[in-house]
Amino acid sequence: MPRKPKRPCSTPGCPNLTDGQYCEDHRVEERRRYDKYQRSSDVNKKYGRAWKRIRDRYVREHPLCEMCKEDGRLTPTDEVHHILPVSQGGTHDKSNLMSLCKSCHNKIHLELGDRQIRS
């Protein structure tokens, strides 16, 4: 199957082509900028190494998107969603988690109004 053509790096003035949004030269720099200015400063307290272990265990137990599965589609899990967000007092307990594909996860957050559509 043919590969998708490479596209220009999203950094203004960068001539490099890439498979992702940023080239190798700018990916780390943009990640640092995102972490510093756009992410909450306490995000690592909420989503640290312990969360990664919980998330990985939950994905092993629930490998398919729960919303797609209800509609009769079999879609692999991409995200683990907190039904009650951690910022609103939710926990990492299994009863508060839901496995979702990216599409369903984005749909939920758009309905909640805490994310914007990126073009």
Side-chain angles (χ1 to χ4, degrees), residues 73-117:
R73 295 186 313 264
L74 300 177
T75 311
T77 295
D78 293 316
E79 309 281 343
V80 175
H81 174 72
H82 288 89
I83 297 166
L84 177 64
V86 174
S87 62
Q88 296 174 9
T91 64
H92 297 320
D93 188 58
K94 287 183 183 184
S95 62
N96 190 40
L97 300 178
M98 181 180 221
S99 62
L100 299 171
C101 64
K102 283 187 194 248
S103 176
C104 291
H105 193 237
N106 286 336
K107 191 183 314 178
I108 286 175
H109 282 284
L110 287 172
E111 289 171 1
L112 292 173
D114 60 356
R115 291 210 181 146
Q116 289 144 11
I117 299 173

Side-chain angles (χ1 to χ4, degrees), residues 2-118:
R3 287 179 45 145
K4 201 166 139 181
K6 291 189 177 209
R7 60 187 199 146
C9 174
S10 292
T11 303
C14 179
N16 297 332
L17 297 176
T18 181
D19 291 321
Q21 185 174 3
Y22 295 103
C23 67
E24 292 297 322
D25 298 339
H26 296 109
R27 186 172 295 132
V28 172
E29 179 184 324
E30 289 300 323
R31 172 53 60 188
R32 276 195 202 114
R33 183 176 295 133
Y34 173 79
D35 286 344
K36 184 174 183 179
Y37 295 111
Q38 294 182 349
R39 290 194 99 174
S40 170
S41 59
D42 64 348
V43 74
N44 287 329
K45 292 177 188 171
K46 294 177 188 173
Y47 299 105
R49 186 177 299 156
W51 163 245
K52 181 168 178 4
R53 283 191 212 112
I54 293 166
R55 181 202 178 284
D56 291 345
R57 189 177 319 121
Y58 193 82
V59 169
R60 275 194 306 274
E61 294 171 7
H62 302 90
L64 300 174
C65 173
E66 294 178 32
M67 287 179 63
C68 289
K69 200 170 172 184
E70 288 176 6
D71 294 337
R73 295 186 313 264
L74 300 177
T75 311
T77 295
D78 293 316
E79 309 281 343
V80 175
H81 174 72
H82 288 89
I83 297 166
L84 177 64
V86 174
S87 62
Q88 296 174 9
T91 64
H92 297 320
D93 188 58
K94 287 183 183 184
S95 62
N96 190 40
L97 300 178
M98 181 180 221
S99 62
L100 299 171
C101 64
K102 283 187 194 248
S103 176
C104 291
H105 193 237
N106 286 336
K107 191 183 314 178
I108 286 175
H109 282 284
L110 287 172
E111 289 171 1
L112 292 173
D114 60 356
R115 291 210 181 146
Q116 289 144 11
I117 299 173
R118 295 182 195 170

